[in-house]
Structures are given as C-alpha cells and as structure tokens.
Amino acid sequence: MKSPRVLPGFPLALGYTLVYLALIVLIPLSAVFLKSATLSGEQFWTIISAPRVVSSYRISFGISLLAAAINTVFGLIFAWVLVRYRFPGRRIVDALVDLPFALPTAVAGIALTALYAGNGWLGQWLQLLGIKVAFTPLGILVALTFIGLPFVVRTVQPVLEDLDIELEEAAASLGADRWQTFLQVILPVLSPALLTGFALAFARAVGEYGSVIFIAGNVPLVSEITPLLIITKLEQYDYVGATAIAVVMLVFSFTLLFLINGLQIWTHRRHGRITG
Amino acid sequence: MSIRVQNIVKRFGAFVALDNVTLDFPSGELVGLLGPSGCGKTTLLRIIAGLEAPDSGQVFLDNHDASTADARERQVGFVFQHYALFRHMTVFDNVAFGLRVKPRRQRPGADEIRRRVQELLSLVQLDCLADRYPAQLSGGQRQRIALARALAVEPRVLLLDEPFGALDAKVRKELRRWLRQLHNALHITSIFVTHDQEEALEVSDRVVLMNRGRVEQMGAPDQVYEHPATPFVYGFLGAVNLFHGRINGYQLQVGEENLPLAENGFQSGTEALGFVRPHELDIDTDLASRAGIEARVERVLALGAMARIELTGAMGETTCHYEVELPRERAAVLKLSAGQIVRLKPARIRLFASDSQSAEQVPYLPVEHMVGGYGENI
C-alpha cells in the first residue's frame, strides 16, 4: 500500500532510526547482558540478592519515585506560575528552571551537602528541629528532587500554554467551583504531560550518581544507592558483579517506564484522540 | 428572565471597548447583538455572563443587581464560538458536567442525570452520539452539544458568542433555523452575538446594532432594516449606493444632476448623503430622459430570481460604483450589456446630514467614493 506523502523517505528514515538506536542504545546495553551471562544462575542470584544490594534497590527506586512525585506536584505549580502570571523577573525564573540540567551533578551534590550539613546554612536550623538531611535518605531525596525539577516543568509548560482559558470559563459558567474545574477540566488535559514529566524525572533520578554520593553519606543498608554499588564493584575490578546489578536496574527501569508509557496510551485513548 | 445592563464602561488599556452602554433585554426574547469586529459586542456578552468585569456600570438579572456575582452564581448558559467542549469527556459526560458539579444537596441522582442528559441530547437531535468524544464530531454537532451542555443546568439566560462563526455556510444556515425553532420551544431569554447581518435579521426577535463601544440602534429586524437610525446602521445592514450632494428644495443635487426627493427634513443648501439600497434603484435605458443619474453598465450577473447589475459613474474626477438589483424579467426586458450607458433612478432615498462624523460612521466607506456613490456588499 503506497500513499503519496509530502515528505518522502520512510524506509531511509526508519533504517537510520534503527541503526542509530542499535549503535547508541542497544549494543552497549546488550554488552551488559552478555557480560553478566558469564555467571551461573546461582552466582547471579547470590550477587543480586545480597542484603546490601536489595536495600539499595529499595532506596534507589523508592526515593526516585518519591522525588519524581514531588517534582510532579511542584513542577506543575511552577509551570502554572510561569504560564499564567506576568511578574517582573519571570524570564529569569524561566531560565533558572533549566539550571539543574546544566550544572555538573557533582557541583550540585557538594553545594547541597554544604547547605544541609549539620553546620550548613539550612542544616543548622533543621538540626534544631531534630531533622537531619545530609548523610541520610532524606538527603538523597533532596538531591534527586533538585535534578528532576526541569523535566516536569518543561513537559507541562507547553501544554498549559495551549490550554484554552475558555474551558475554565465554560466550567465556571456551568457552576463548577475552582477545585472542580481544576480536578475535572484542567488536570485530565495535563495528565499525559504530567506523566511524561514524571517518567523522565524518575528515569533521571534512578540513573543519578554524582550529586547523590556527596549528600547520601553512603551508609550500607541505609543510604546506599544502586549506582554506587555498581561503581564500588567496578573499583574492586568485579566487572561481572557490577554488570549483574546493572542488569537488574535495567530490567526494573525498563519495566517501570514501559508501564508508564502504557498508562499514557491509555489516557490518550480515554481522551478520544484515536486516529485512523 | 429579563436582563438589564446600565452605564457599562469597559476599557482595555487605551481602547474603549464599551462606552457607557445601557440596554434592556426583555424576558423570553432572542436578541441579536450585531456589529463589526471590535465593536464591543462580545465584551458586553462576557460582562453579562460574569466572565469579564466592567470598569463601571451594573448588570441586572431579573431586576436583581448581579454585578458582583461570580460567573458560577449567575446561572447563565454560555456557548462559545469554538465550543469549548471538554475533549477528555464523552458527549454524555460533557452534557452531564453541569449537573454533576452541583453541590451534593442539589445534585440529582445518577438515574435522573442520565434521563436529563438523554432528553437534552434528543432535543439537539444527537442522542446516538452520547458515547463519542468531541474530536469525533463535526463542527455543527459540537456546537449543538455545547448548547445542550449549557442548557443542562437550566440557565435563566442563554448567551451565545458567535455560535455559528466557525462553521461553513450550509451548516450555518441549518443551525440558524434550528436555533430559532429551539428558542420558540424553550422561550429562554437569549442573546447571541454575530457580525453577520443576515444571521441577526433572520434569527432574532430584536436586533441591537453596536459600533465602537456604543449602541447605534435597537429594534425589530424589519424596523431597523426599514428605518435605520444612523448612516452606520444603514450601511451595515446591507449593500448601499451612496449619493453625496446638496439639498435643493425637494431635490438632491448630485453633481450636475438632480434626484427627486419624496420627503425632505433638511434646509435647502445643506450638504447631505443619500442612501439607496440596490433593489431601490431602477435603470432607464432612455437617454433622452433627464431623470436620474448617468452610469455605465460594467457587469450583469443574472443568478436566481434577481439580476445584479454593477455600474460605474463619473462624478467630476472620481469614478463611483453602483449596484442595482432588478427582478430577472425586468433585466431581460432592458437587454443590458456591458459598456451601455444608462440612467439610474432611485425609487427611495434615505437622507442623512453629511457632517464628517456621520460619513465616517458608514462602515468601510472608501474615501475616494465620498463624492459620488458606491455600492458594495457589506
């Protein structure tokens, strides 16, 4: 079946896409699987189910999900303020949002540690309240929230800009209060973008290393993240052990991202944007 | 329910959208707010709905001052030009929205909501589309759903902002008739905004003509068409031929020629503008006659029952354009052809004093035609 298109080149474009994907993503990742395949099943299981490793999964994935959730809420508020209100310095705030993208993560980690340490600017006051941030899982949460913020803001912002004010006016004239308008009219339209932002922030947080290791304190079973364990194994020349843990991370992340994608397709369907 | 707006002023920066507007909308009538874009008609509608706050002035709904009431408290149904349907909801959920967001004590039960929505969907003749999403509907269907959604909350007033503006000509005409029938059945006080004079004259019980933030005239369609109060109204409600001249007794002296006047409220010597509709002009092929004004036939368009003839005339240095509408039989008798010189005889001339202001108010009046006349479909 051939139908005329304005822009030709489907075979070429698809071929290029697949080769590119293979070179950049699939081949390096399959190397991880191949390397870990040198282990017997029992050895593999022993490595990936060690208590220290299991606790690192919980910390890495648990805190990443939490950080992504926090970013979804505050990223939405951020995007809302940037789109809906005009205030002096708006452009500067807009530019600042991207800063976590550009900053070397180690710099972010050191800055956050200095800030939240027991003698830091914020840390000393929090300590009076009995809250310890640096060198605890809470510190990891702070770092992962920091690096994930731009994702939600940048995915939600364009959708919010396109959102017709008339929808809100229609809801108001039908008698809906502000909360109902937000929950039933605005949020459903934003939810695909929010989900994308959540998925990106989560994926970024799971893979984050640089900023976390400074603030986490890296206490085994308490504040060790999975990427740190991989690095530790590499430093001990345990390449196979490192790839085994990496495989678990990959499968976990892929499954979660796949589920989020599925959720997104489902919301799209529900919004009646079925084509063809 | 009656609506009254009193001394409404609204500015957007330096632009005056509404300049001290006072209007009464009688209960149960369908009123058309008509005017060129930027005349303030949509702003007035939004102020009545509570979607916009006036700088000063008041809105009375049923003789109660509603000026400070929030849009959601006014019980006003609003239909937007671009429908503003909730695209993530089915047609059914869209129509049910207004019922479902009611406070728990007033909210009808699920069965009652289902019954009401079905009733409204059959009223707008779309009962079979309840499970579709707005994206799957045509423009005309979307607008009918938007109307059903607005009617679901049993509004006291229905406001429609250019409801057919985004639709094509055929659907427009159909929906126009349908809206009129719907209004005859429901008798809910309604105001609709349009820039299409044909639409306003055809659908409304009463027409309000607005220009530059002011009300030019309000009245029944035939009344405003037959007795336009200002040159603007005359020009806006249909094609016009304009004759600029000087009053001389019961004659309007245009250049070298004289047009007889049936009535005249002006003093001799006054500069005046004579307005003549295309169907009020007759063509005389007898050049020996001294009646009327000389013109040259440019084009003859015989479509349907009426023939439209486009002519040009010379008025000193400038060329002016005229338009005449004749019954087809009459045009056939005249045997007009392009290039032929004829004489134009107005059956009726409507005079306005030609001070600069009134001439300026005629919409889209090209300056070079001021001396003579022009005919243009506006």
Side-chain angles (χ1 to χ4, degrees):
Chain A
M1 185 193 68
K2 263 198 152 180
S3 58
R5 282 175 194 258
V6 178
L7 296 177
F10 169 70
L12 190 68
L14 182 70
Y16 175 78
T17 306
L18 290 179
V19 170
Y20 195 84
L21 186 71
L23 279 177
I24 304 289
V25 182
L26 293 180
I27 293 176
L29 291 188
S30 52
V32 173
F33 281 89
L34 285 177
K35 186 82 183 171
S36 65
T38 55
L39 291 165
S40 73
E42 201 179 328
Q43 285 171 311
F44 184 77
W45 180 252
T46 317
I47 294 171
I48 66 164
S49 63
R52 205 170 145 190
V53 180
V54 171
S55 112
S56 85
Y57 300 147
R58 228 182 7 248
I59 290 162
S60 260
F61 287 97
I63 297 181
S64 291
L65 283 171
L66 194 59
I70 291 172
N71 274 329
T72 305
V73 174
F74 288 92
L76 173 60
I77 296 173
F78 228 108
W80 184 271
V81 169
L82 286 177
V83 171
R84 286 296 169 88
Y85 305 119
R86 293 290 170 268
F87 52 92
R90 190 180 70 93
R91 280 175 191 286
I92 295 171
V93 174
D94 198 26
L96 282 174
V97 170
D98 288 328
L99 216 55
F101 272 148
L103 205 64
T105 50
V107 176
I110 293 165
L112 288 173
T113 312
L115 209 55
Y116 285 103
N119 54 0
W121 283 356
L122 287 173
Q124 55 182 318
W125 303 109
L126 289 172
Q127 203 155 37
L128 289 179
L129 299 170
I131 302 168
K132 266 191 70 148
V133 177
F135 317 123
T136 67
L138 196 56
I140 304 177
L141 183 65
V142 170
L144 294 183
T145 307
F146 173 81
I147 53 137
L149 176 71
F151 293 97
V152 178
V153 179
R154 290 298 179 229
T155 49
V156 172
Q157 207 174 1
V159 182
L160 207 52
E161 266 160 9
D162 283 345
L163 190 70
D164 207 339
I165 300 261
E166 280 187 356
L167 292 178
E168 289 154 53
E169 291 175 347
S173 75
L174 290 168
D177 61 34
R178 293 182 176 94
W179 191 235
Q180 287 168 324
T181 304
F182 177 73
L183 284 183
Q184 298 181 35
V185 175
I186 299 172
L187 205 57
V189 179
L190 294 183
S191 64
L194 280 171
L195 265 175
T196 306
F198 176 84
L200 289 172
F202 166 73
R204 176 78 172 81
V206 167
E208 177 58 16
Y209 173 74
S211 61
V212 177
I213 48 156
F214 290 100
I215 200 169
N218 308 323
V219 185
L221 299 171
V222 177
S223 60
E224 256 183 349
I225 56 168
T226 316
L228 178 75
L229 285 184
I230 296 173
I231 298 281
T232 314
K233 291 228 185 277
L234 286 178
E235 278 168 353
Q236 295 158 356
Y237 303 106
D238 180 9
Y239 295 132
V240 187
T243 52
I245 300 175
V247 162
V248 175
M249 274 202 92
L250 271 175
V251 172
F252 249 53
S253 303
F254 184 75
T255 313
L256 277 169
L257 290 174
F258 197 74
L259 285 176
I260 294 171
N261 264 344
L263 197 61
Q264 217 158 23
I265 290 167
W266 180 73
T267 50
H268 263 264
R269 284 257 165 78
R270 238 171 41 114
H271 294 189
R273 267 172 285 166
I274 310 149
T275 48
Chain B
M1 190 187 71
S2 67
I3 307 169
R4 178 176 168 75
V5 293
Q6 202 170 305
N7 305 110
I8 298 277
V9 176
K10 177 74 183 175
R11 289 185 195 85
F12 295 105
F15 177 72
V16 182
L18 292 171
D19 186 5
N20 202 13
V21 171
T22 300
L23 276 172
D24 270 302
F25 299 93
S27 187
E29 284 196 358
L30 176 56
V31 179
L33 270 184
L34 178 63
S37 49
C39 73
K41 54 194 191 304
T42 294
T43 309
L44 182 61
L45 201 71
R46 290 172 58 84
I47 286 173
I48 295 171
L51 298 173
E52 203 95 57
D55 295 334
S56 64
Q58 288 151 299
V59 177
F60 294 91
L61 298 176
D62 223 3
N63 298 322
H64 289 290
D65 189 352
S67 308
T68 54
D70 199 272
R72 74 180 65 94
E73 297 158 2
R74 292 198 190 185
Q75 291 176 272
V76 162
F78 201 98
V79 175
F80 295 85
Q81 181 179 1
H82 298 289
Y83 330 123
L85 291 175
F86 307 128
R87 62 176 191 210
H88 59 282
M89 295 183 197
T90 60
V91 164
F92 184 94
D93 292 336
N94 263 286
V95 178
F97 183 86
L99 299 171
R100 287 179 177 156
V101 296
K102 278 181 189 287
R104 189 155 293 144
R105 277 176 290 112
Q106 301 164 25
R107 195 186 307 159
D111 288 341
E112 172 68 7
I113 289 179
R114 180 161 298 277
R115 196 187 60 73
R116 292 259 289 272
V117 173
Q118 287 300 348
E119 207 176 275
L120 281 160
L121 287 178
S122 53
L123 183 71
V124 300
Q125 297 153 12
L126 290 174
D127 6 17
C128 50
L129 299 179
D131 298 325
R132 300 274 190 94
Y133 285 93
Q136 298 166 306
L137 305 180
S138 72
Q141 290 171 333
R142 284 182 212 179
Q143 197 55 290
R144 283 192 273 167
I145 295 301
L147 194 59
R149 182 179 68 177
L151 289 172
V153 290
E154 292 175 346
R156 302 187 293 173
V157 178
L158 190 62
L159 306 174
L160 305 104
D161 183 12
E162 304 236 6
F164 315 131
L167 303 169
D168 61 65
K170 194 160 171 264
V171 181
R172 247 179 123 105
K173 200 142 188 150
E174 216 176 279
L175 277 187
R176 228 189 258 173
R177 200 173 312 129
W178 175 81
L179 176 67
R180 186 61 237 185
Q181 284 168 0
L182 191 76
H183 185 265
N184 289 345
L186 299 175
H187 273 296
I188 173 171
T189 310
S190 310
I191 305 175
F192 85 104
V193 157
T194 178
H195 61 257
D196 181 341
Q197 84 280 356
E198 203 186 311
E199 191 169 292
L201 294 175
E202 197 182 304
V203 178
S204 334
D205 294 314
R206 207 174 281 261
V207 179
V208 177
L209 274 121
M210 291 186 66
N211 186 32
R212 298 183 182 182
R214 291 164 191 259
V215 174
E216 294 269 334
Q217 192 174 2
M218 179 170 186
D222 56 337
Q223 188 195 343
V224 293
Y225 189 82
E226 291 299 325
H227 307 285
T230 64
F232 168 82
V233 174
Y234 199 106
F236 198 79
L237 289 181
V240 289
N241 294 287
L242 186 62
F243 299 94
H244 189 111
R246 187 186 299 269
I247 303 288
N248 185 5
Y250 276 83
Q251 283 185 321
L252 180 68
Q253 193 184 337
V254 183
E256 302 290 299
E257 330 248 12
N258 283 306
L259 298 173
L261 298 171
E263 47 185 337
N264 178 20
F266 293 97
Q267 280 194 333
S268 282
T270 319
E271 296 277 323
L273 287 168
F275 284 71
V276 183
R277 296 262 182 235
H279 67 266
E280 292 168 342
L281 272 177
D282 193 17
I283 290 178
D284 193 347
T285 48
D286 176 15
L287 294 176
S289 154
R290 293 306 305 154
I293 281 181
E294 199 178 271
R296 198 168 78 110
V297 176
E298 292 294 331
R299 223 149 73 100
V300 181
L301 293 159
L303 303 165
M306 299 299 276
R308 204 171 87 210
I309 299 113
E310 291 172 8
L311 307 101
T312 52
M315 208 45 66
E317 295 287 288
T318 45
T319 316
C320 29
H321 299 268
Y322 303 109
E323 190 182 309
V324 178
E325 255 176 38
L326 293 176
R328 203 167 172 158
E329 299 74 39
R330 168 90 184 129
V333 169
L334 289 172
K335 293 200 187 64
L336 296 168
S337 59
Q340 193 179 349
I341 304 291
V342 296
R343 298 193 73 84
L344 293 175
K345 294 199 297 190
R348 198 181 114 170
I349 302 179
R350 166 88 194 177
L351 284 180
F352 292 101
S354 92
D355 52 74
S356 59
Q357 198 203 345
S358 60
E360 195 192 329
Q361 280 179 347
V362 179
Y364 320 122
L365 181 62
V367 177
E368 67 266 29
H369 294 160
M370 293 284 291
V371 190
Y374 86 120
E376 202 182 330
N377 275 317
I378 296 165

